[in-house]
Amino acid sequence: MTILHYELCGADTAKVFSPHCWKTRMALEHKGVDYTTVPVPFTEVAAVEGGEGRRVPVIRDGDHVVEDSYQIALYLEEAYPDAPTLFGGEGGKALTQFCIAFAQMQFNSVVSRMALMNIYDILAPADQAHFRTTREKMFGQSLESWAHAMAATKDDLVASMKPLEMMLKSQPYIGGDSPLFADYVLFGPLQWLRVVKGDDALPQEGAAADWLNRLLDMYGGMARSTPLAA
Amino acid sequence: MTILHYELCGADTAKVFSPHCWKTRMALEHKGVDYTTVPVPFTEVAAVEGGEGRRVPVIRDGDHVVEDSYQIALYLEEAYPDAPTLFGGEGGKALTQFCIAFAQMQFNSVVSRMALMNIYDILAPADQAHFRTTREKMFGQSLESWAHAMAATKDDLVASMKPLEMMLKSQPYIGGDSPLFADYVLFGPLQWLRVVKGDDALPQEGAAADWLNRLLDMYGGMARSTPLAA
């Protein structure tokens, strides 16, 4: 049975850009399961699969509805034990939580500050209004003034990538010789930035750039072929 | 047979302070093996176990001499498979490399900048001369001017600990319900700071402070009982 993968999209529904949904998309590819994307604009996320206040990614696999990219990866690992592992054992499951926290506190923070208005720009009008209202309430100021005051640069991104850059001197993936879910955890925010702001927003040289390119080429170049912001 | 653990020490040989040696000390305790510390001042590190240019930690276990805290942990995992695991499987081994890079690029960097002169102060005179010569060549300036120009604060340390602080909302240790080697990898630099600068250098509240306290209390409070700088 085909797994449904509810993914956040822009006005162009092929522009799927959520870092968390990208983690799940790569995990589904890694497991080699049949899945289909259900693009969901911001204003429809909460009600996905009959929910109230849901957040994407959400998957439906037969009777199973699972929310949250880490929970989905744990589900896939258990439901498809014969497919390539996403964690490489219990230690890998636990340590992935540190990678999630790292990505959240360092990558996601920098990407938000680099690309807030780029995210806004790719949304459909109703979603722009929703995005503006919810974020301006959170920031206590207009999107534009927050984006200006908090602006981050590619140098900030490169600085936050230093641990990844250093680690890649020891092995080609966070997972070792081949990627594990932890690789997709750090890939998600970078692909988010790529989709909303274009390739030029990312460093093009170094071990982390090479690692990113290898992930973009995997699975038939699926991630690379996703349309980017003009 | 008792394992020999060569550890960097100050003028007071009980002041073992290297972040990397602390990772190994905790790993030896975790495995519950018999070991004894051989304190080594800076000027004697290179020649440990007949070496030329060695770096500590180094262990001797019977005929096996192993250098580098990660390599030592891999060795202990293989040599003592019936003792508690340090990695929780192959995924854990791979992901530990990301934790090592994180600790090196974020914690070690901040601690060096917070505590350079404190490290100098606890060394014996011959080691102070060695430390000054090697570091001043590396920095291209005096210890004092580098320490002044690069000074970091407890706030910088707290900022670098954000991923750890966030992760600890999900689970009590990086290893999950109990520590793995990855916990000791992040513990090492913080214990280094504690030994050379005292408890006040570290945050005393929050999830990371609680985690640190739990690790200090483990193994009969071994890490807590190590003498700190006056």
Side-chain angles (χ1 to χ4, degrees), chain B residues 101-114:
Chain B
F102 173 86
Q104 184 73 23
M105 298 309 288
Q106 302 202 183
F107 283 9
N108 288 14
S109 160
V110 174
V111 172
S112 299
R113 292 162 48 217
M114 288 177 78

Side-chain angles (χ1 to χ4, degrees), chain A residues 93-203:
Chain A
K93 283 182 193 169
L95 269 61
T96 294
Q97 290 275 30
F98 183 73
C99 296
I100 290 170
F102 173 86
Q104 184 72 24
M105 299 308 287
Q106 302 202 180
F107 283 9
N108 288 14
S109 161
V110 173
V111 172
S112 298
R113 292 163 47 218
M114 287 177 79
L116 186 80
M117 295 314 299
N118 303 99
I119 298 166
Y120 179 79
D121 288 343
I122 69 163
L123 302 178
D127 299 303
Q128 285 185 328
H130 172 80
F131 187 81
R132 181 177 288 282
T133 306
T134 52
R135 270 58 182 177
E136 291 188 348
K137 189 173 173 186
M138 190 157 63
F139 299 152
Q141 57 189 305
S142 74
L143 285 186
E144 289 78 2
S145 63
W146 187 89
H148 178 75
M150 300 297 287
T153 65
K154 195 196 280 192
D155 285 348
D156 296 315
L157 181 65
V158 169
S160 79
M161 292 170 76
K162 278 184 181 177
L164 176 63
E165 188 74 26
M166 182 189 162
M167 189 222 67
L168 291 166
K169 291 176 185 164
S170 305
Q171 56 195 30
Y173 295 97
I174 303 173
D177 291 333
S178 57
L180 289 175
F181 185 62
D183 287 90
Y184 309 141
V185 166
L186 268 66
F187 171 82
L190 301 176
Q191 173 73 341
W192 173 30
L193 180 60
R194 256 189 100 240
V195 173
V196 301
K197 207 177 172 77
D199 267 323
D200 289 349
L202 291 150

Side-chain angles (χ1 to χ4, degrees), chain B residues 50-169:
Chain B
E52 295 177 5
R54 279 202 189 276
R55 302 171 73 170
V56 284
V58 171
I59 65 162
R60 170 177 284 281
D61 185 14
D63 292 337
H64 299 276
V65 175
V66 190
E67 182 174 329
D68 177 89
S69 63
Y70 183 64
Q71 294 302 322
I72 292 169
L74 291 175
Y75 167 80
L76 293 173
E77 189 77 346
E78 192 174 324
Y80 301 93
D82 297 333
T85 178
L86 285 163
F87 295 105
E90 293 305 310
K93 282 182 193 169
L95 269 60
T96 295
Q97 290 275 31
F98 183 73
C99 297
I100 290 170
F102 173 86
Q104 184 73 23
M105 298 309 288
Q106 302 202 183
F107 283 9
N108 288 14
S109 160
V110 174
V111 172
S112 299
R113 292 162 48 217
M114 288 177 78
L116 187 81
M117 296 313 299
N118 304 99
I119 298 166
Y120 180 80
D121 289 343
I122 68 164
L123 302 179
D127 299 302
Q128 286 185 327
H130 172 80
F131 186 81
R132 181 176 287 281
T133 306
T134 52
R135 271 57 181 178
E136 292 189 347
K137 188 173 174 187
M138 191 156 62
F139 300 151
Q141 56 189 307
S142 73
L143 285 186
E144 289 78 1
S145 62
W146 188 90
H148 178 73
M150 301 297 288
T153 65
K154 195 196 282 193
D155 286 346
D156 295 315
L157 181 65
V158 169
S160 79
M161 292 170 76
K162 278 184 182 178
L164 176 63
E165 189 74 26
M166 182 190 162
M167 189 222 68
L168 292 166
K169 292 176 186 166

Side-chain angles (χ1 to χ4, degrees), chain A residues 44-108:
Chain A
E44 295 174 20
V45 166
V48 157
E49 282 288 351
E52 295 178 4
R54 282 203 188 273
R55 302 171 72 170
V56 284
V58 170
I59 65 162
R60 170 177 284 279
D61 184 13
D63 291 338
H64 299 276
V65 175
V66 190
E67 181 173 330
D68 178 271
S69 63
Y70 183 64
Q71 293 303 321
I72 292 169
L74 292 175
Y75 167 80
L76 293 173
E77 189 76 348
E78 192 175 326
Y80 301 94
D82 296 334
T85 178
L86 285 163
F87 295 105
E90 293 303 311
K93 283 182 193 169
L95 269 61
T96 294
Q97 290 275 30
F98 183 73
C99 296
I100 290 170
F102 173 86
Q104 184 72 24
M105 299 308 287
Q106 302 202 180
F107 283 9
N108 288 14

Side-chain angles (χ1 to χ4, degrees), chain B residues 187 191 194 212-218 221-224:
Chain B
F187 171 82
Q191 173 72 343
R194 258 189 99 239
L212 184 68
N213 277 316
R214 289 196 298 276
L215 291 171
L216 289 169
D217 288 335
M218 292 188 83
M222 179 274 290
R224 193 183 291 287

